[in-house]
Amino acid sequence: MKVNQIRAGAVLSYVSMALSTIISLVYTPIMLNRLGDSEFGVYQAVLPIISYLNLLSFGLGSAYVRYYSRFRAAGDREGCAKLNGMFFLTYAVLGTLVLGIGFLLAGHGEIIFGKKLTADEIALGEKLLRIMTVNAALAFPISVFESHVTINEEYIFQKVVALGRQVLNPLIMIPLLILGYRSVTLTVLALIFTVVSGLLNVIFCLTKLKMPFSFRHYDFKLMREMVGFTTFVFIGIVVDNLNWSIDRLLLAWIHGTTAVTVYTVAAQLNVYYQSFATAISNLLIPRVNRIVADAVSDAVASGQVDCSSLILFEKDSSGQVTALRSNMTEFNRLQSLISDTVLARLSQMTSSDLAIPLGTLTGSNLLAGRGPYIHVRTQSVGSATAKLRNALTAAGINQTKHQVLLDVEVYVTVLLPGFATSVKVNNELCVAETVIVGNVPQ
């Protein structure tokens, strides 16, 4: 039976997301405990430099997927082979450039890491930078084969290799950290995994996918066209790196490694907080929507809303509607009634217990709603506003549909141990509806 690669790849992606959260919860504290603030901070300070070196890919991976798809759709196997050869040579050159720049930077640690680091910390940073640079340089030509696997939709192989790397790395590294090995071992292990996963991709592409190569002619015109195609992609990557990578390096320059460690841990905790806040919001939104809907429904059912009194129709001598006039007194009374009713019902959930499935906190849609429940005691504070408005839309020849719409906006702030999260819910409900029939042209 043929396996659905897209569906299986999606499932494995969700599994990877869940494992990433679980592994970080377990691995990061152990790593921090065994390495200490200084060494952990040095390790984190090197990562942004590698991130900037990776910018030398210029975002060409997206161009490869586009142009290879074009050649394959046209049945141009020679064009596919030429493109593969071009990208392999280009990435091999770029990888060599990364290697040279990385080693050059590693030779000037005092400039790269700033004056706040000790001599031992700078020496360690230079050593880690060299190892990570080799890793990044090898990843450039390997990415050609990874892109080829992606374009052939071999998602199961791709995700299994990634999952194996993701799971085996901490499983091997945690015992090594406990045995006393340090950050250098961690980076060497990452390099080994890059080599192994790269070899698996190369073997898979050459043996199963029969990936063609041609190195006879380097098409500079085609490469210029592809660089033009990826210009805006590259700008986006640069902006992302400036936003998300410069912070740790700046902290190392200005305050030293301890500040980098504290900031990294706080940033990770913020990610968990965001997941937790999202889970709380997802639980509250249905409750608030139900409160608003019930409040309006009960007000209508109990006779507190007289639809005929909301709008007054003015007619001419022949009985034709000439104008609509809103009864603002009734409008204001109804708005106040709905707001008070919603607030009264929100007050009933001021103090409550929320049961959150553990899988929901991972941020994975696959695991959402699954797993044991975590019970959290919450305090909530809410506010509500209700506004009535008229809406007129065409409903046929010389016919107009008139609606009285109620917009209810509810803010709920939930206070939990250690933090608060806010939820905003907007509801639009139709309170009254009338079709005004005019004269049909003869």
Side-chain angles (χ1 to χ4, degrees), residues 406-424:
L406 177 65
D407 294 322
V408 183
E409 194 172 79
V410 180
Y411 290 90
V412 180
T413 300
V414 181
L415 308 176
L416 297 112
F419 69 92
T421 181
S422 297
V423 179
K424 178 183 176 182

Side-chain angles (χ1 to χ4, degrees), residues 168-245:
L168 288 176
N169 191 13
L171 285 180
I172 296 173
M173 197 60 218
I174 288 174
L176 291 176
L177 285 170
I178 294 173
L179 290 173
Y181 290 91
R182 315 292 291 186
S183 57
V184 173
T185 304
L186 190 152
T187 51
V188 170
L189 184 64
L191 174 59
I192 292 171
F193 274 108
T194 296
V195 173
V196 172
S197 63
L199 287 174
L200 289 174
N201 277 280
V202 171
I203 293 169
F204 186 80
C205 287
L206 296 180
T207 56
K208 183 175 180 179
L209 301 181
K210 308 298 182 184
M211 183 177 181
F213 280 95
S214 175
F215 300 99
R216 287 180 297 178
H217 301 289
Y218 192 97
D219 194 336
F220 288 96
K221 181 180 178 181
L222 179 60
M223 181 54 68
R224 284 195 298 271
E225 182 180 339
M226 288 188 288
V227 169
F229 170 75
T230 60
T231 298
F232 291 104
V233 176
F234 176 65
I235 292 172
I237 295 172
V238 171
V239 172
D240 281 344
N241 272 271
L242 287 175
N243 286 334
W244 299 107
S245 298

